Amino acid sequence: MTHDDEHTHDEHDETTHTPQPLPGVDPADLHAAVDALAGALHDYVATAVGVRAEFGAGEADEDPRILALESRIGGLNAELYDLLHARLGMHADLVGMTWQDEDETDEDAAPLDGEVDTFHVGLVVSRTPAAGDRTLDSVLDLVEEGASAITHTLVGAGFEVAEWGVSRGAHVEFGDEHDDADEDDA
């Protein structure tokens, strides 16, 4: 079952989700959210440098100071996303990461004919005080909006996305995967 099967999207504000331009928006609160996020990122860098001076990389990744800052940054990212969504009606894709290989050419591109595969993203999410009134149930809305943004990015890059879905606590099963599992059992 996907998120759309369980929920409707009545929470969209018609004044911000209109196809018409949205003039006269005061960006002060948006800039304040970015400043808070930038401050947290600077805190992370300073803390990470200090933690690495004390511990190896594996231990540093699990250091409570690092984990707390990562959680704080995740919460601030969510707050910025929510603010952009509420004020501008946009579904900002601000947390993705992209590496560009300088040596990459069109010759490196994968063959086009008949290649289909599934890709999965798993998230382990915990609620922190920074989440405010948001519950873990609200994470599904954010994940779905992120999946939608990823889908649009893939389509814009020339790929076809035949199916996508999100779920909580379970792997998303697509029609072909279920059929493959039946064949494996035979």
Side-chain angles (χ1 to χ4, degrees):
M1 179 179 301
T2 65
H3 174 67
D4 282 338
D5 294 335
E6 299 176 23
H7 301 285
T8 61
H9 290 280
D10 295 334
E11 66 271 2
H12 282 160
D13 182 353
E14 293 303 317
T15 60
T16 59
H17 283 78
T18 176
Q20 303 303 316
L22 188 62
V25 174
D26 180 4
D29 55 345
L30 298 167
H31 285 294
V34 169
D35 291 342
L37 180 57
L41 289 168
H42 285 295
D43 290 347
Y44 183 90
V45 169
T47 302
V49 168
V51 169
R52 277 297 280 129
E54 296 177 45
F55 302 104
E59 289 175 276
D61 281 339
E62 299 301 321
D63 187 281
R65 296 168 287 182
I66 295 297
L67 296 175
L69 282 164
E70 288 173 350
S71 178
R72 179 174 157 215
I73 290 166
L76 290 169
N77 267 326
E79 287 177 24
L80 177 59
Y81 178 93
D82 286 347
L83 191 57
L84 288 165
H85 186 251
R87 302 267 284 125
L88 302 176
M90 296 175 62
H91 302 98
D93 183 14
L94 302 176
V95 295
M97 294 185 279
T98 304
W99 287 264
Q100 184 66 34
D101 185 0
E102 293 177 15
D103 298 330
E104 194 171 291
T105 64
D106 288 341
E107 295 171 3
D108 297 328
L112 296 176
D113 296 332
E115 288 191 59
V116 176
D117 206 348
T118 59
F119 297 86
H120 303 277
V121 175
L123 304 169
V124 177
V125 178
S126 63
R127 196 176 165 288
T128 68
D133 291 338
R134 291 183 202 94
T135 65
L136 284 174
D137 287 334
S138 70
V139 170
L140 205 53
D141 289 330
L142 295 171
V143 172
E144 182 179 56
E145 288 172 0
S148 178
I150 290 169
T151 300
H152 291 296
T153 300
L154 288 168
V155 170
F159 294 97
E160 179 182 340
V161 179
E163 295 181 74
W164 69 273
V166 299
S167 69
R168 180 177 178 190
H171 173 77
V172 175
E173 288 192 23
F174 299 107
D176 291 343
E177 289 180 34
H178 188 13
D179 294 342
D180 290 344
D182 290 343
E183 289 173 12
D184 291 342
D185 291 339

